[in-house]
Amino acid sequence: MILSEHFLVDDNLLAQSPLESVALSLGYEKKTIIKSLDLVIESKQITVLVGGNGCGKSTLLKSFARLLKPSAGQVLLNGADIHSLSGKDVARKLAILPQGPVAPEGLTVEQLVRQGRYPHQNWLQSWTEEDERLVRKALQDTNMTEFSDRSIDALSGGQRQRAWIAMALAQNTDILLLDEPTTYLDLTHQIEILDLLFELNLTQNTTILMVLHDLNLAARYAHKMIAIKEGTVFCQGAPEAILNHDMVKAVFDMECHISADPLFGTPMCIPYGKGRKVNHQAVEYV
């Protein structure tokens, strides 16, 4: 399948998908953001959306989570129009961490994380040991156990982000959507969160779709990268197949040098620009 004059996608990747769009158009008021988009998210893989600010990444993610109704076309969840399903049915299959979520004043971390179990409750079934186990596991996996009794309002930006991720994990769905999950996190916690998502995919076959701004981290963790430009897919495929100078120039309007990550071998984008220059031959890096 040819997606642009420069990039190819292997049709063998387009297997049965739990999440896809068909002729999807999205917008706000009279402004169209996404234009008649056909897109398949592969099952049991990590897919990362990349692109410049305002290109439609977050808008697309909201639609895939049933938070934004299409102006045309469909989003299919396990083959069914997502807007034909109840909110509770969707929440049992799919969890989302949006940008900048806001919790009610005074809510504690544990109370927030427990919200992730509510889609699984009904008037016949009260809180169970399984619910409790999954809440505790989500707190532990995100290193938030020690903050469980603390108010969300009292947390740092990074701690707050991890609390919201814990809530999404407690939901225990097969599909996880995250909009910039490393926002507000320092580098150590960015890697912790992305490692956690990688392990979820590896050990539990969780299908993960997320928006990331850091191309190098996206290339390291993604099985598939989808580059969005002006409301449509510019190219998609394995990072090592599509992340190159021409793609970065076209999508981000930025000159760069692409080399191999010395630890993982994945593409590493080094942007041109101003800055200090040192004689690297005179400096020993460890």
Side-chain angles (χ1 to χ4, degrees):
M1 177 184 296
I2 299 177
L3 295 173
S4 78
E5 60 181 313
H6 301 293
F7 302 100
L8 301 177
V9 171
D10 185 353
D11 285 331
N12 292 327
L13 288 175
L14 303 182
Q16 184 65 36
S17 167
L19 195 61
E20 58 184 297
S21 67
V22 180
L24 182 67
S25 293
L26 303 166
Y28 303 98
E29 297 180 351
K30 295 183 179 180
K31 183 178 181 181
T32 299
I33 306 297
I34 299 293
K35 310 164 188 175
S36 192
L37 183 65
D38 293 326
L39 187 61
V40 174
I41 305 304
E42 278 82 23
S43 178
K44 303 177 183 179
Q45 291 195 359
I46 297 175
T47 301
V48 176
L49 301 175
V50 300
N53 291 338
C55 70
K57 304 183 300 297
S58 296
T59 298
L60 183 59
L61 202 72
K62 286 179 183 177
S63 181
F64 277 172
R66 196 177 171 269
L67 299 178
L68 180 63
K69 193 169 184 177
S71 55
Q74 293 177 304
V75 172
L76 302 181
L77 177 59
N78 295 328
D81 186 334
I82 199 168
H83 286 277
S84 71
L85 306 173
S86 71
K88 206 165 189 178
D89 284 341
V90 172
R92 292 189 186 111
K93 301 171 184 176
L94 178 154
I96 182 169
L97 175 64
Q99 278 190 48
V102 179
E105 187 176 352
L107 199 72
T108 68
V109 170
E110 182 172 346
Q111 288 170 335
L112 176 68
V113 177
R114 288 169 72 94
Q115 298 278 338
R117 299 304 304 156
Y118 289 163
H120 302 275
Q121 308 297 307
N122 57 54
W123 66 278
L124 290 174
Q125 178 179 327
S126 59
W127 194 260
T128 66
E129 290 184 5
E130 177 70 357
D131 293 322
E132 194 67 31
R133 183 187 72 80
L134 288 169
V135 167
R136 298 300 173 195
K137 184 176 187 302
L139 288 166
Q140 181 178 359
D141 286 345
T142 52
N143 293 320
M144 290 300 290
T145 302
E146 65 179 294
F147 302 103
S148 60
D149 295 327
R150 189 172 298 184
S151 169
I152 298 294
D153 302 329
L155 300 177
S156 69
Q159 291 165 348
R160 193 176 299 118
Q161 186 78 338
R162 285 189 282 150
W164 283 102
I165 292 173
M167 188 194 76
L169 296 183
Q171 209 167 317
N172 196 37
T173 60
D174 292 332
I175 306 171
L176 187 56
L177 311 183
L178 306 104
D179 195 352
E180 300 181 36
T182 56
T183 300
Y184 305 123
L185 300 182
D186 60 37
L187 186 57
T188 297
H189 289 118
Q190 287 182 42
I191 298 301
E192 282 183 3
I193 291 299
L194 293 173
D195 280 355
L196 169 61
L197 296 174
F198 185 83
E199 284 296 319
L200 279 173
N201 170 261
L202 185 66
T203 62
Q204 299 182 31
N205 290 322
T206 304
T207 299
I208 296 173
L209 173 64
M210 60 180 161
V211 173
L212 288 178
H213 277 300
D214 190 316
L215 288 176
N216 295 332
L217 290 179
R220 177 183 294 188
Y221 288 94
H223 297 101
K224 179 179 179 181
M225 181 183 287
I226 300 173
I228 306 292
K229 181 182 180 182
E230 297 177 352
T232 192
V233 173
F234 178 78
C235 62
Q236 59 181 314
E240 53 271 26
I242 70 166
L243 182 53
N244 55 40
H245 170 272
D246 290 345
M247 185 273 264
V248 175
K249 177 62 177 175
V251 173
F252 296 94
D253 192 24
M254 182 179 72
E255 295 289 347
C256 72
H257 171 75
I258 303 292
S259 64
D261 184 312
L263 294 180
F264 292 86
T266 51
M268 185 170 65
C269 176
I270 304 171
Y272 291 166
K274 297 180 180 180
R276 296 188 312 110
K277 290 187 177 181
V278 298
N279 181 359
H280 66 276
Q281 296 179 338
V283 180
E284 182 178 358
Y285 296 100
V286 178

